[in-house]
Amino acid sequence: MDSAIANPQAEHDAAEHDHVFVPQHRHHFETEEQQREAGSFGMWLFLLTEIMFFGGMFFAYLLYRNWYYDAFVAASNTLNIGMGAANTAILITSGFFMALGVWAAEVRRRKLLVWMLVFTTVFGCAFLGVKYFEYKEKFELHHIPGASFDVSQFANPPIDKKTHQPVGNPVPQDQLQHTQIFFFLYFAMTGMHALHMIIGIGILFWLLQRSQRGDFSAGYVAPIENFGLYWHFVDIVWLFLFPLLYLINRHPLAH
């Protein structure tokens, strides 16, 4: 009888002995697993607020597109689809490396984790580099909403050098100024996405520094996992932005 009572205690003591406590364990959590679950839950709550934030902008875009259809189609066709597609490939690749980084942290391969974070950072910076040249092109075309906004390209579409035909149809006079709404939403949505990328790259440098010290090589992987969720969320947002802004009604309207 006594041995039967003692066995559970012995098993508990053995489990405590086998359990590895890491320095990052905060005192107000009973176990590292509880701390990890709380952190993951907090990250999902944060991402939920981000979904609502971007969802509001997506709703505004769809609403205005329905109201000023011709203006939005014409403005959308001026976006550089090559740069947009390149950035899509870049972000998918960065997400792949981030997923490998999470796996490397979980299997405690420090060097592989460091390299995966480096590659994720490089591709993140490449995305911002492409976005810079895309914004620069819009600045040169005077497609920045404001006093200097130029509607001439939409009133008189340029002639295609190969077909000698206008690229698209002229936007009706009563909708010409509404092309500014498209570009306002374009810069708001892609700019906010780029801001999330900049913040993510800053966090990547911090994670990279800690990874080199070996902070995530002894079973403590929660920061890597949570940041992986953030990075994949940013990727997914772009996968909605790209077709919505660049691809819908890519061909000229036929009146």
Side-chain angles (χ1 to χ4, degrees):
M1 184 67 179
D2 293 341
S3 60
I5 296 175
N7 281 339
Q9 182 62 39
E11 292 176 359
H12 179 269
D13 293 342
E16 288 293 324
H17 181 268
D18 293 338
H19 191 72
V20 178
F21 288 90
V22 295
Q24 295 83 4
H25 180 210
R26 298 295 182 258
H27 66 86
H28 48 277
F29 293 103
E30 293 183 1
T31 64
E32 290 85 11
E33 184 61 26
Q34 185 188 64
Q35 177 175 321
R36 181 177 180 177
E37 290 177 356
S40 179
F41 180 70
M43 175 55 71
W44 280 109
L45 282 180
F46 168 73
L47 293 181
L48 179 61
T49 65
E50 291 289 282
I51 290 172
M52 292 188 290
F53 175 74
F54 277 101
M57 289 195 288
F58 281 121
F59 177 77
Y61 177 84
L62 293 173
L63 185 65
Y64 279 107
R65 186 182 185 91
N66 182 60
W67 287 349
Y68 311 123
Y69 183 77
D70 288 1
F72 269 55
V73 170
S76 175
N77 284 344
T78 65
L79 297 183
N80 192 316
I81 194 172
M83 290 187 181
N87 263 346
T88 303
I90 289 171
L91 269 193
I92 291 175
T93 306
S94 75
F96 171 73
F97 284 125
M98 190 63 232
L100 286 180
V102 173
W103 175 79
E106 290 175 344
V107 298
R108 305 185 183 188
R109 297 179 61 177
R110 184 178 64 85
K111 290 185 178 179
L112 180 61
L113 171 61
V114 170
W115 278 110
M116 292 305 100
L117 293 181
V118 167
F119 288 144
T120 303
T121 304
V122 168
F123 278 90
C125 292
F127 177 91
L128 293 177
V130 173
K131 185 56 63 180
Y132 164 78
F133 286 107
E134 191 172 359
Y135 282 179
K136 182 174 179 289
E137 180 182 69
K138 293 301 159 202
F139 179 81
E140 293 172 348
L141 292 173
H142 297 283
H143 287 168
I144 309 296
S148 62
F149 187 81
D150 185 7
V151 298
S152 60
Q153 181 176 353
F154 308 111
N156 301 293
I159 303 299
D160 189 289
K161 295 181 179 179
K162 294 181 180 179
T163 64
H164 303 289
Q165 297 294 324
V167 180
N169 300 309
V171 176
Q173 287 293 325
D174 61 337
Q175 290 207 30
L176 274 177
Q177 289 300 326
H178 294 149
T179 54
Q180 285 197 71
I181 300 177
F182 171 87
F183 284 107
F184 175 82
L185 290 169
Y186 164 78
F187 282 109
M189 297 167 79
T190 61
M192 188 56 63
H193 178 267
L195 177 61
H196 281 70
M197 290 288 297
I198 293 171
I199 293 172
I201 290 172
I203 297 174
L204 274 169
F205 279 113
W206 175 68
L207 292 175
L208 186 57
Q209 182 182 21
R210 295 189 62 185
S211 298
Q212 291 173 325
R213 295 202 312 251
D215 289 357
F216 310 120
S217 303
Y220 177 63
V221 298
I224 299 293
E225 290 178 336
N226 289 333
F227 178 77
L229 290 175
Y230 173 85
W231 196 256
H232 293 316
F233 169 78
V234 174
D235 289 353
I236 291 172
V237 169
W238 179 258
L239 292 180
F240 281 96
L241 286 175
F242 177 59
L244 196 63
L245 295 173
Y246 293 77
L247 301 182
I248 297 179
N249 298 117
R250 191 66 196 179
H251 299 292
L253 291 172
H255 291 297

